[in-house]
Each structure stands twice: as C-alpha cells, then as structure tokens.
Amino acid sequence: MSVQERKERERASRERLIVATARELAEQQGWDAVTTRRLAERIEYSQPVLYSHFRGKREIIGAVALEGAAEMAAAVRAAATATDGPRERVAALAHTYLDFAARNPAVYDAMFQLEGGLAFAQEDTPAPLKDAFAALRETLAEVAGDGVHADLFTEVFWASLHGLATLSRAGRLPPEYTEQRLELLVDRLAVV
C-alpha cells in the first residue's frame, strides 16, 4: 500500500468517525448540541482537522442525511421484499418508514427538517437521496392505479408518511391510533 493510499484510507476513516460522532451526539442531545468544538473534543482531533473534512455543521448534517437515506432505502427494500402481495408490501414499507423515523429522530431531522446543503428533486440531487426515493417508488408504483404517474403517487404517499412521522413525534397525534392511520393510508391510497 502506498503512502497516498494509506493517507486516503485514514482520511476516510476520520470522516466516518466525524459523521458517526455527530449522529450519536445529535441522537443523544439534539442537533443544537452538535458543534465543531464538541465534535473535535469527542473525536480527539483539532477543529482544523474537522474543517479539513467539512466546512461546518451544515455539511456534517448533509453527510448524516446521506447516510440515513442509504439506511432507510435498504430498510424499506428489505421490508418490501420480505412480504408477498402488493398491499402487504406497501404496509411493510409504511411501517418501516415510520419505524425508521421513530428510531432515528436526529437522522430523520437531518434528512428532512434541517438544512444540510443537499438538493432535493433536482438534477444534482445526491445519489443516496435519489435511491431512497427509488426504494419507495419501487413498491408504490405497483399500487398507484391506472393513469396515475408513479412519481407523483410516491410523492403524495411519502408526504403522508412524513406528516404522520412528524406529527407523531411532536405528540400531535394520539399514539393509540397509529395502526389505524396506517391501514387507512394503505387502503385508501394504494389501489390493489
């Protein structure tokens, strides 16, 4: 292994450490607790080293969002392929999405609530975000209904899931009706 390869490997390792530490700190104490100073202290590197990887908190949030998008895409695909039948796949997708949002609130915020400097629904949208949308679309396209554009249907279904996730986390929806909400969403929107 050349010196250059070793340095690149070490740099990639430091970057993963920064992102993992930011994510851990955000999940424990919220994104307000994530500062470059605190991250530098936790990873035991100087702030200039941290800034050599990310220009600031915004880029760190973006990196966490991309990581989360990849994880969510994998989870949604795994849940959908583990079930038989279109309705069951959509229900599994919905449960998995809401479970992901509930288990990873700081990551979910990085993906959809906070400014991470990422472009959505544009040509320059990063691949992990496009893939997360594709993971939803793969299952939802088969239940969109005749004459309904699959991307538009996916956007509406995703917006519904996002609303449920956000309102549930904020305590705006009674938790005892979570399952009924999902059944209603799946049964009324998904044409099987």
Side-chain angles (χ1 to χ4, degrees):
M1 174 183 304
S2 73
V3 171
Q4 182 63 29
E5 289 172 329
R6 182 181 53 78
K7 286 182 178 184
E8 288 174 9
R9 192 178 72 221
E10 288 171 355
R11 180 173 176 75
S13 178
R14 271 192 316 270
E15 193 164 300
R16 284 190 303 273
L17 177 62
I18 293 166
V19 172
T21 304
R23 183 175 174 166
E24 179 183 322
L25 186 57
E27 290 293 359
Q28 291 171 352
Q29 299 177 29
W31 278 105
D32 287 341
V34 179
T35 64
T36 54
R37 177 175 296 187
R38 287 183 90 185
L39 284 175
E41 288 171 3
R42 283 201 174 199
I43 64 172
E44 298 179 347
Y45 284 100
S46 67
Q47 282 183 284
V49 169
L50 194 139
Y51 282 117
S52 74
H53 290 274
F54 299 99
R55 285 181 278 189
K57 183 175 176 177
R58 179 178 178 215
E59 284 189 6
I60 294 169
I61 290 169
V64 170
L66 294 177
E67 189 176 88
E71 291 171 9
M72 188 179 74
V76 164
R77 283 190 176 108
T81 58
T83 58
D84 292 322
R87 187 201 181 285
E88 291 76 14
R89 280 190 288 278
V90 173
L93 174 151
H95 280 97
T96 300
Y97 184 98
L98 293 180
D99 288 345
F100 180 88
R103 281 191 334 273
N104 306 283
V107 173
Y108 192 81
D109 285 348
M111 292 168 65
F112 301 120
Q113 305 286 64
L114 301 174
E115 177 53 50
L118 304 174
F120 282 81
Q122 298 176 22
E123 283 295 317
D124 60 341
T125 298
L129 297 179
K130 287 181 179 179
D131 189 53
F133 184 82
L136 297 173
R137 187 185 188 280
E138 289 162 11
T139 296
L140 295 170
E142 68 181 312
V143 297
D146 294 336
V148 177
H149 192 279
D151 285 351
L152 294 177
F153 181 79
T154 302
E155 289 170 356
V156 170
F157 201 92
W158 172 31
S160 299
L161 288 173
H162 176 69
L164 289 173
T166 303
L167 292 169
S168 294
R169 267 186 55 204
R172 303 291 198 272
L173 298 174
E176 63 269 19
Y177 297 113
T178 299
E179 193 59 37
Q180 292 91 330
R181 282 186 207 97
L182 283 178
E183 287 178 21
L184 183 62
L185 177 63
V186 171
D187 290 343
R188 296 297 171 107
L189 284 182
V191 178
V192 182

